[in-house]
Amino acid sequence: MAAPTPTDASLAADSTQPLPSSPAAPAVAADARKQPPPETKESLWLRRWSIVSFWAVVLFLGLPIWLKTTAIYRAELPLQEMTDWAEGKVCKPVFPLRIAVEAPIPSADAEHLLRTTQHALDDINDFSAHHLRLMLADPPLQSNASQQAVSGGAGIQSDDRDVALVIRLIPVETGATPRSHLQPYSPTLDVYYSPNQIPSHSSTGSSLATFLAQELHNIFAEEQAQLAHVLSASSGAHAAKAKALSPETLAELQRQSSRVLKYAPTYHLTFSLFSPSYAPSKWDIESALETYMSPLLDAFSAISNFTVDTQVQLYATFTPSIRQPEYDEVTKAWTLRREDLSGFVNAAEWPLSPSIGEGPTVNFILYVPDRAQSPLVVKENAGCSWLIPQWGGVHILNLDGQSDTPSALTAEMLEPAMHTFSNQLISLFGLPQGPASLPLRISTLERVRAASLIFSASSTLGALAQVYQKLPSIPVPDNVAQSTHHTIAHLQQACDYLRDGRFPSALENARAAEIEAEKAFFERSMVGQVYFPDEHKVAVYLPLLGPVAVPLVMAALKELKSALKRA
């Protein structure tokens, strides 16, 4: 091994000597120990005032502007009064009917007969809300003539248009007595009696008085049942006044109400002629309507108004969903099955628009079958017409004795169809089946409609009050409050007119109340807000307010934490 040289020895000696310290080391250590200068009091308060100013702008400027611009206006509604009407606490409907009696006997005898009859009538009446009051009238009963009413010895004055029925006492010498005859086109009951049946002043009853009371009770029995049914279907306060109905009567009234059209101030009647071929292409419908339908529509004009239009549709085929008519060898006629009647109207191809006209549309269809399928009848009952509940009616016109289908239908050919349509219209409007006098039946419908509209408008007010209380986020404009007050005013007037026996005026105000109540409940600005949930508001405002709120909240929390540490 070679010996170390002097150069290596010198290098080793140099390596054992300590290294001199670097001049940059003290500077790095000094930077590591250096702290930020303490925050001055002015900068601290400047930061705090900045945060406070931002929050002040948000709380005292932004929040009031937001509340003002997003505030929902809610007009004040008479909620308690609306609820009272809905619960039947305000109006106790009564139906006092005035019956005028023309008696060709001395006034004292006539008054005694009326008192005796009134007592007998009150004894058999089991419906306190509907009562008959007899009045003595000087014959003949003239328009706007005053009549002296006798009720328990007291006299009242009445106008003849408020008289529901006129009784004419007619003395006779032959025939069974007492007997009666109700005029079919006049609210008049003719009662034939013998002079010895007039009760004496000392008697408390007579066969004539009992007969009159029983006849009046029978005439208005169906009206009492219908009014009792209307009362029982309303709220508890009204239902308590309704008399009990037998199960058979109740079932019949429910069946009738299921096919009756909902009341409307105006109805649109559409008369349509359908033919499977090119004939008939014309019909004298104007003359037929003027002759057979106009008198009935005029009679209904006190209850509702009507508009009428007609149409002709050729090459009208049956709907494919029903079976084609089958020929019956026994009856020598083409027949339709009862189960196919519901699909007889080809709604897909026949132009029967339900939106024609101002009010609900009532359709009356006249179908003239082809000669190859005539006569065409219903198999089960051999009928050629049927009623479609709450929609209209159909009549099949079989032209017997015609060698070929005529190109035009005369008014005489349309007479059977017009009679059918008249009966169907009566059923759709809910006209009672009795008594035999048409004016009496229409006046009964007038009273039933008035009561139904009062209850309907009252129920709508109650529903509006519930919506107002349960949905505080929906706006309620001033016109809703105005309609509500108008509804209550019309309801009060209708109830007062009912109590006074002025039924046409009661119906008019009840109709106005129903219109105003529907107008208030279905206000467009309210209906839209009913389906506007709170979750939608959160989804709208959160993306807008979130980016602004997070820095403000975090800065406030940080400053609060810093202040707590200094304390």
Side-chain angles (χ1 to χ4, degrees):
M1 182 175 181
T5 61
T7 303
D8 296 334
S10 63
L11 292 173
D14 293 338
S15 62
T16 59
Q17 296 179 0
L19 296 174
S21 59
S22 174
V28 173
D31 291 340
R33 294 190 301 269
K34 186 178 181 180
Q35 297 293 332
E39 187 176 15
T40 63
K41 189 174 183 180
E42 290 78 7
S43 62
L44 176 63
W45 282 105
L46 178 61
R47 185 174 70 253
R48 290 180 177 179
W49 279 114
S50 299
I51 297 175
V52 170
S53 63
F54 275 107
W55 275 103
V57 170
V58 171
L59 295 177
F60 298 107
L61 183 62
L63 186 60
I65 293 177
W66 177 73
L67 292 176
K68 180 66 176 178
T69 55
T70 60
I72 297 176
Y73 178 75
R74 290 168 61 85
E76 292 294 331
L77 299 181
L79 299 178
Q80 186 59 47
E81 192 172 0
M82 295 165 65
T83 304
D84 291 342
W85 273 102
E87 295 177 353
K89 298 179 180 179
V90 179
C91 179
K92 307 298 182 183
V94 292
F95 307 90
L97 273 64
R98 293 177 171 87
I99 311 298
V101 180
E102 296 180 3
I105 55 178
S107 177
D109 294 339
E111 291 179 3
H112 180 67
L113 174 63
L114 261 63
R115 281 192 293 267
T116 305
T117 306
Q118 187 69 63
H119 289 316
L121 192 60
D122 293 339
D123 291 339
I124 62 177
N125 183 29
D126 57 350
F127 187 25
S128 60
H130 184 277
H131 50 274
L132 308 179
R133 288 295 174 258
L134 302 179
M135 305 186 311
L136 187 60
D138 294 332
L141 188 62
Q142 299 177 354
S143 177
N144 296 327
S146 64
Q147 298 139 9
Q148 186 72 19
V150 178
S151 177
I156 60 174
Q157 298 292 326
S158 173
D159 193 279
D160 66 336
R161 66 179 180 178
D162 297 329
V163 174
L165 178 66
V166 176
I167 298 178
R168 296 190 302 190
L169 297 179
I170 304 174
V172 294
E173 300 293 340
T174 60
T177 57
R179 65 181 187 272
S180 65
H181 172 68
L182 186 61
Q183 299 290 338
Y185 299 106
S186 173
T188 304
L189 177 67
D190 294 332
V191 177
Y192 302 92
Y193 70 98
S194 58
N196 59 0
Q197 291 175 332
I198 299 296
S200 62
H201 293 278
S202 59
S203 63
T204 58
S206 71
S207 60
L208 180 58
T210 303
F211 177 80
L212 288 174
Q214 191 62 47
E215 284 294 307
L216 290 174
H217 181 74
N218 294 337
I219 288 175
F220 293 100
E222 186 170 355
E223 177 177 334
Q224 288 190 355
Q226 287 197 353
L227 290 174
H229 180 64
V230 172
L231 290 176
S232 63
S234 61
S235 59
H238 295 144
K241 299 184 64 177
K243 69 174 184 178
L245 299 175
S246 64
E248 295 79 9
T249 303
L250 183 59
E252 177 63 22
L253 291 174
Q254 291 177 347
R255 186 184 68 85
Q256 293 178 8
S257 61
S258 64
R259 64 188 182 190
V260 173
L261 291 165
K262 182 182 179 181
Y263 177 79
T266 302
Y267 293 96
H268 183 75
L269 308 182
T270 299
F271 294 87
S272 306
L273 171 62
F274 289 94
S275 174
S277 62
Y278 62 90
S281 59
K282 298 179 182 179
W283 58 337
D284 193 7
I285 187 62
E286 289 81 6
S287 299
L289 291 176
E290 183 67 25
T291 303
Y292 303 108
M293 292 294 295
S294 292
L296 180 61
L297 298 182
D298 292 340
F300 279 127
S301 61
I303 301 175
S304 296
N305 298 320
F306 301 92
T307 59
V308 179
D309 77 339
T310 63
Q311 63 176 344
V312 177
Q313 178 71 22
L314 304 179
Y315 300 101
T317 59
F318 291 139
T319 179
S321 62
I322 68 172
R323 286 171 290 187
Q324 294 299 313
E326 300 174 352
Y327 187 74
D328 191 342
E329 293 290 346
V330 177
T331 59
K332 304 298 181 181
W334 293 85
T335 60
L336 288 169
R337 296 181 181 271
R338 185 187 296 272
E339 57 267 22
D340 293 331
L341 297 182
S342 59
F344 179 85
V345 177
N346 191 351
E349 299 181 8
W350 294 4
L352 298 170
S353 175
S355 60
I356 297 178
E358 180 180 350
T361 299
V362 185
N363 291 281
F364 294 104
I365 296 177
L366 178 62
Y367 184 82
V368 180
D370 190 76
R371 292 301 303 172
Q373 290 185 340
S374 181
L376 181 63
V377 297
V378 180
K379 184 175 183 179
E380 284 74 10
N381 56 11
C384 57
S385 63
W386 60 92
L387 181 73
I388 302 178
Q390 301 183 9
W391 189 85
V394 179
H395 181 85
I396 299 176
L397 183 60
N398 295 304
L399 299 174
D400 299 332
Q402 298 283 341
S403 59
D404 198 4
T405 303
S407 60
L409 298 177
T410 63
E412 290 75 15
M413 294 179 179
L414 296 175
E415 180 179 358
M418 292 297 106
H419 288 308
T420 299
F421 292 154
S422 298
N423 293 330
Q424 291 173 346
L425 183 63
I426 287 175
S427 298
L428 290 171
F429 279 1
L431 196 68
Q433 299 178 357
S437 175
L438 180 60
L440 284 180
R441 296 162 65 190
I442 293 178
S443 62
T444 294
L445 180 61
E446 188 177 60
R447 288 183 281 272
V448 172
R449 291 293 196 190
S452 301
L453 289 175
I454 289 176
F455 298 149
S456 177
S458 301
S459 177
T460 304
L461 285 181
L464 179 59
Q466 292 181 0
V467 171
Y468 187 92
Q469 293 173 324
K470 293 183 179 180
L471 299 176
S473 61
I474 65 172
V476 181
D478 288 331
N479 60 322
V480 172
Q482 294 175 359
S483 296
T484 301
H485 289 293
H486 292 164
T487 301
I488 294 176
H490 284 299
L491 283 175
Q492 189 61 57
Q493 290 180 352
C495 190
D496 293 340
Y497 284 135
L498 274 186
R499 192 178 298 110
D500 296 338
R502 301 171 61 183
F503 303 112
S505 300
L507 176 61
E508 181 180 354
N509 281 274
R511 183 191 300 126
E514 174 71 4
I515 293 174
E516 291 291 340
E518 295 286 333
K519 179 181 176 182
F521 188 81
F522 293 104
E523 167 64 29
R524 288 182 296 177
S525 60
M526 290 176 52
V527 174
Q529 292 293 329
V530 170
Y531 306 100
F532 191 74
D534 293 335
E535 292 81 0
H536 184 74
K537 298 179 182 179
V538 174
V540 170
Y541 289 124
L542 190 59
L544 299 177
L545 301 180
V548 177
V550 170
L552 291 177
V553 172
M554 296 304 297
L557 292 177
K558 184 177 180 181
E559 186 60 30
L560 180 61
K561 183 178 180 181
S562 176
L564 292 176
K565 284 184 178 180
R566 288 188 176 90

